[in-house]
Amino acid sequence: MYSTKRTIFAAAALAFSLNTGTSLAFDQGDLIKQLDEPLTVVFIPKVIHPWYEVVAAGAEQVAKELGTEGIEVNVIWDSPPQADVADHNRRIETNIGRKPDGLAVSCLDPATNVQLLGEAVAADVNVITFDTFCSEDFDFVGHKGDAQDGADLAKFLAEKIGETGKVGILAGSLTATNHAARVKGFKEAIAQYPNIEIVFEQPDDDNLEKAVSLTENALQANPDLKGIFGANASNPIGAARAIQNAGKAGDVVIVGMDDLPETLQFIEDGVIAGVKAQRQWEIGYWAVKYLVAKNQNHTIPHVHATGSQILTKDLLVK
Amino acid sequence: MSAPSTENLSRNAPFAWIGRFRRWEASGVLVALLVLFIALSFATPAFLSQYNLSVVARQASFVGLIALGQTLVLLIGGIDLSVGAAAALSAIFGSLLLTQTGIHPYAVLPITAAFGFGLGCINGFFVAVLRLNPFIVTLASWEIFAGATLVITKGYPIRPLGEQFRVFGQGTIAGIPVPVVIFIAAGAILTYLLARTRFGRNIYAVGGNRDAAELVGIRAWRVEFIVFGLAGMFAALAGILYASRMDSGQPSVGEGWLMGAITAAIIGGTSLKGGQGTIVGTIFGALLMAVLANGIVLMNVSGYWERVIIGIVVLVAILVDLMRRR
């Protein structure tokens, strides 16, 4: 009896020493999971919009690159035809059900999206938020400095109009928090210039036609308008069309967001003075890369700020 | 309704059954629903998962509740464009009630429903008492309700609504999501109401021929007034249940629900001219729309094509309905 016990003890001790032996040679690379099955990554943007086409191009590029490394990634875009909160949430819910390897969501309505993204995480779906930041609970790839963008554009606009005169704001959609943050940043920065007066601020609902008519009305009411700030991608274009039709191109300084093709054309033609462009190609690229990395058991940065820059005619010529 | 061939058919029991089914307003949408359901079951394994089915049913319930109210309005020959905005405004009202007054969470549901009934009665007053065109009246109230929501909230959601309140949107009864239970229960009550009560028969009478209904002593304005109130009430129920589901009173929530509700009613066999339609058809219609939308996501149909497909399905449903009537 005693001897048996001793043998077992000895065997256990031997096993233990062997075990420590291997753990000394612990290879961190073993923690990385090999991927032998194709991965599915689903993107849910806020709405069908040309802006996301550039994100998609970045996502496609990284999928191609990973393909050459032997990792097959299917990127699926599930885009709401209209920016409708209920429809957007329905898509998130449905996609949790099919358990993709990665789910990238641009928050349309942070409050309700957070609830569903929490449910996705609870169901073991790898979640990343992109484009619009909604909560510290989830990893994020994109541009977070909305208020800063507004402030930067305010300074840029103030310089262009010689720090004096009347300016107007196309405020975007009242329910979009990023639009609201840009407007807030813009107004706070403009407040530093005592000779600049904000004469109108109207929501255009991210609707180009509405931005055109609002700008036309603003010109009627204020023939001496010096500048217009647009809080999203569509309203600088709307403002530019209205200003060009009124024959006032160059007299009214237009600043706004993003680098859609028509915006770039207007910048080249000198109708739009400058826009803050987000680097959304990068957003798509890194979102896919990080979601694949999550599947491999890598740790990824909690927030990857992709930044933004002011695009002007001078920059485009280069 | 009864064609001469009915009597021939009734001699042969199985054929009579088929004939009755064919003449039933909801038959077309039921067949479409079954075909789609079976096709999706084979096409994608994710469709039949319990999670997915409960998600689809719950999604159908929100639009479905609104569609129930819309069906009543369509039955009297009217239309209510303000339901989506009424849902959002009621959800905000309920959320404020919950967060500002410390009222018991269970009391919020009936009070919000009553609030919605009141909103609907505003429409009812203009349509039934002042005899204005329902399209124009509800177009105006749509703007007013949606605007009031933004005035109150400035676009910001009201959250969180609290643990206890979430049971309405997130809880289940015997494995079935609570909104689905409420939707089915409401559907059952309305079906009974329409088929077995004088109020129900009056709705069909007013919708079929208002003047004739008044001649036989039905007070048409009262029927219309109550129906618009009910439409507001169902909108409020959908709105507050969705708020509970999302734990957030959401100012922009009802925007997409109006067309979904009208579509559900129409593909369920409800006529835009009034007097014709069933609640069961609307329930199937709402389910069909939800299953279709779910299938589009699961089958990876491009978002660009989605609305085209939904439009085609609506057209097919109307064509099937046309063939049934001839």
Side-chain angles (χ1 to χ4, degrees):
Chain A
M1 193 62 189
Y2 176 74
S3 64
T4 337
K5 250 189 188 166
R6 221 160 71 160
T7 327
I8 291 171
F9 181 70
L14 185 70
F16 181 73
S17 67
L18 279 177
N19 196 18
T20 41
T22 50
S23 72
L24 277 177
F26 171 73
D27 183 0
Q28 295 193 354
D30 289 347
L31 289 176
I32 303 308
K33 231 171 81 189
Q34 290 303 310
L35 297 174
D36 26 28
E37 302 224 324
L39 298 179
T40 306
V41 171
V42 178
F43 276 81
I44 305 180
K46 287 187 237 189
V47 63
I48 290 179
H49 195 292
W51 193 87
Y52 291 107
E53 295 296 324
V54 186
V55 182
E60 281 309 315
Q61 175 63 30
V62 73
K64 216 180 281 169
E65 284 177 20
L66 288 166
T68 60
E69 294 169 25
I71 300 172
E72 197 184 320
V73 184
N74 287 319
V75 179
I76 295 169
W77 281 80
D78 192 359
S79 315
Q82 282 160 322
D84 172 42
V85 175
D87 186 28
H88 188 254
N89 281 325
R90 186 180 62 69
R91 284 164 203 278
I92 300 175
E93 258 188 330
T94 307
N95 276 293
I96 297 171
R98 71 164 157 188
K99 299 240 171 186
D101 301 295
L103 182 63
V105 175
S106 169
C107 291
L108 176 62
D109 170 49
T112 55
N113 289 159
V114 163
Q115 166 77 26
L116 290 177
L117 292 178
E119 289 175 22
V121 171
D124 279 332
V125 175
N126 288 313
V127 171
I128 209 165
T129 52
F130 74 104
D131 170 22
T132 305
F133 178 80
C134 61
S135 162
E136 285 296 339
D137 295 349
F138 311 102
D139 297 328
F140 173 71
V141 187
H143 178 54
K144 231 169 125 177
D146 291 319
Q148 190 59 47
D149 282 341
D152 291 347
L153 287 169
K155 269 181 221 140
F156 179 78
L157 177 61
E159 275 170 32
K160 289 274 174 193
I161 60 174
E163 302 189 5
T164 176
K166 293 178 178 175
V167 298
I169 299 174
L170 294 170
S173 165
L174 287 176
T175 51
T177 46
N178 53 346
H179 298 177
R182 287 171 194 150
V183 172
K184 189 160 170 271
F186 179 84
K187 282 160 88 174
E188 278 168 9
I190 282 292
Q192 310 293 318
Y193 302 94
N195 295 327
I196 297 182
E197 188 194 353
I198 297 175
V199 289
F200 83 96
E201 180 187 346
Q202 289 291 328
D204 54 87
D205 300 327
D206 213 341
N207 176 324
L208 215 160
E209 286 72 34
K210 206 162 171 190
V212 172
S213 58
L214 284 173
T215 308
E216 284 168 351
N217 295 343
L219 282 178
Q220 292 302 318
N222 307 282
D224 53 343
L225 193 72
K226 279 287 182 55
I228 292 178
F229 162 69
N232 58 36
S234 63
N235 54 22
I237 298 175
R241 286 190 191 171
I243 297 287
Q244 199 172 38
N245 285 343
K248 290 200 161 189
D251 299 342
V252 181
V253 177
I254 303 171
V255 298
M257 291 301 301
D258 294 316
D259 52 352
L260 299 181
E262 194 176 347
T263 309
L264 295 179
Q265 190 59 52
F266 274 127
I267 292 176
E268 249 183 80
D269 297 347
V271 185
I272 295 178
V275 289
K276 211 70 202 277
Q278 305 180 57
R279 297 164 54 181
Q280 69 264 44
W281 193 93
E282 296 245 313
I283 296 175
Y285 185 93
W286 288 102
V288 172
K289 196 135 185 145
Y290 288 145
L291 283 170
V292 171
K294 277 190 166 193
N295 278 282
Q296 290 173 308
N297 219 1
H298 286 291
T299 50
I300 67 164
H302 185 50
V303 172
H304 176 167
T306 46
S308 64
Q309 60 187 52
I310 291 191
L311 283 184
T312 58
K313 194 173 177 179
D314 297 342
L315 261 176
L316 286 182
V317 172
K318 282 178 204 160
Chain B
M1 279 282 275
S2 61
S5 59
T6 328
E7 280 138 43
N8 298 335
L9 284 170
S10 65
R11 282 185 208 134
N12 200 330
F15 285 116
W17 188 83
I18 292 170
R20 266 211 305 270
F21 182 76
R22 234 170 58 80
R23 282 192 311 280
W24 182 39
E25 276 105 330
S27 60
V29 65
L30 180 59
V31 169
L33 180 61
L34 289 176
V35 168
L36 190 64
F37 197 91
I38 293 166
L40 280 173
S41 311
F42 282 108
T44 158
F47 179 69
L48 279 184
S49 76
Q50 203 221 331
Y51 174 88
N52 191 55
L53 289 181
S54 67
V55 164
V56 175
R58 191 164 51 203
Q59 287 163 355
S61 309
F62 299 121
V63 178
L65 275 169
I66 293 192
L68 291 181
Q70 191 70 258
T71 304
L72 297 181
V73 177
L74 291 174
L75 280 178
I76 58 163
I79 193 160
D80 188 346
L81 303 178
S82 72
V83 281
L89 182 56
S90 305
I92 293 301
F93 170 82
S95 304
L96 282 175
L97 203 63
L98 193 63
T99 51
Q100 304 293 318
T101 65
I103 194 173
H104 192 278
Y106 289 4
V108 169
L109 210 60
I111 296 177
T112 306
F115 175 79
F117 190 85
L119 289 182
C121 286
I122 298 175
N123 288 330
F125 174 76
F126 285 102
V127 174
V129 181
L130 299 186
R131 304 285 296 126
L132 293 171
N133 182 311
F135 192 96
I136 297 163
V137 168
T138 58
L139 195 64
S141 58
W142 175 5
E143 292 295 333
I144 293 168
F145 297 162
T149 305
L150 285 177
V151 169
I152 296 168
T153 62
K154 308 270 185 299
Y156 288 97
I158 299 164
R159 74 186 303 269
L161 302 181
E163 190 74 47
Q164 262 185 310
F165 183 64
R166 269 181 249 163
V167 65
F168 295 114
Q170 299 180 27
T172 56
I173 295 172
I176 303 168
V178 175
V180 181
V181 174
I182 293 177
F183 174 45
I184 299 298
I189 292 170
L190 281 184
T191 304
Y192 173 81
L193 199 75
L194 285 180
R196 300 263 180 252
T197 67
R198 185 196 281 178
F199 177 67
R201 284 190 295 273
N202 287 354
I203 287 177
Y204 282 106
V206 170
N209 189 335
R210 192 177 196 276
D211 296 336
E214 288 211 307
L215 277 178
V216 297
I218 297 170
R219 269 176 288 187
W221 73 268
R222 214 164 70 172
V223 174
E224 289 169 343
F225 186 78
I226 294 173
V227 162
F228 272 96
L230 287 175
M233 186 193 81
F234 281 112
L237 268 181
I240 196 68
L241 287 173
Y242 195 81
S244 166
R245 164 71 187 107
M246 293 300 169
D247 194 22
S248 157
Q250 184 48 52
S252 56
V253 81
E255 285 167 5
W257 284 353
L258 168 66
M259 285 327 278
I262 294 178
T263 310
I266 288 172
I267 62 178
T270 299
S271 159
L272 275 177
K273 289 192 194 126
Q276 216 167 42
T278 60
I279 292 298
V280 181
T282 298
I283 294 176
F284 290 151
L287 282 172
L288 178 68
M289 294 302 289
V291 170
L292 185 67
N294 183 259
I296 283 171
V297 172
L298 292 182
M299 301 294 294
N300 302 330
V301 176
S302 150
Y304 304 109
W305 280 98
E306 189 172 323
R307 296 174 75 182
V308 177
I309 293 172
I310 290 177
I312 291 172
V313 168
V314 172
L315 270 184
V316 169
I318 298 169
L319 283 178
V320 168
D321 197 45
L322 189 75
M323 277 151 59
R324 183 181 59 75
R325 282 175 210 278
R326 282 183 180 171

